[in-house]
Amino acid sequence: MDKLTKDQKDEYATSLAAIALYDGEADISSEQITTLLEATGNKEVAAFYPIIFANFLTAEKIGQMIVAPTCGGGGGGGGGGGGGGAGEAEEEEKEEEEEVEEAPPAVDMFGGGDDGDY
């Protein structure tokens, strides 16, 4: 936390206050966020942060972010899928077979047919 700028700390505190209000099923308004910030000792947060966050972070939007986060993540490797799901493997094989069947016929590299003119 020491490496964060004041703005970053204000944003962090305000977003946590909004999430706490959501978790407590309270109204997410700028007044409620400000009250919670003051109650937790964050009295120096810029006054515009609770207003911006209250306008953006409605209960529905917070719920959507919790269920399906949209932030980008960096490249971790995909681990092997653990056990179970033998039926899924069979379905995948069937899908692959269908894709192969739908592929167009191969064309000779030089555009010719089977004339044997090589």
Side-chain angles (χ1 to χ4, degrees):
M1 291 289 288
D2 294 333
K3 295 182 181 180
L4 298 177
T5 65
K6 182 187 179 327
D7 287 335
Q8 290 172 325
K9 289 178 182 178
D10 288 356
E11 292 171 5
Y12 190 63
T14 307
S15 61
L16 288 177
I19 292 171
L21 290 170
Y22 170 81
D23 190 49
E25 298 179 359
D27 183 37
I28 301 172
S29 66
S30 60
E31 294 83 16
Q32 291 283 38
I33 292 173
T34 302
T35 301
L36 187 55
L37 287 171
E38 290 175 358
T40 57
N42 294 295
K43 298 178 181 182
E44 296 181 16
V45 173
F48 63 89
Y49 280 115
I51 296 168
I52 292 172
F53 278 72
N55 287 333
F56 178 72
L57 294 176
T58 63
E60 294 81 27
K61 287 183 181 177
I62 292 175
Q64 289 173 353
M65 286 189 288
I66 290 172
V67 172
T70 58
C71 62
E88 293 175 11
E90 290 176 12
E91 288 179 19
E92 289 178 16
E93 288 177 17
K94 288 180 183 177
E95 288 178 16
E96 289 178 17
E97 288 176 12
E98 289 176 10
E99 290 175 13
V100 171
E101 291 174 6
E102 294 174 5
V107 178
D108 186 18
M109 192 166 124
F110 299 105
D114 290 333
D115 297 297
D117 292 336
Y118 294 88

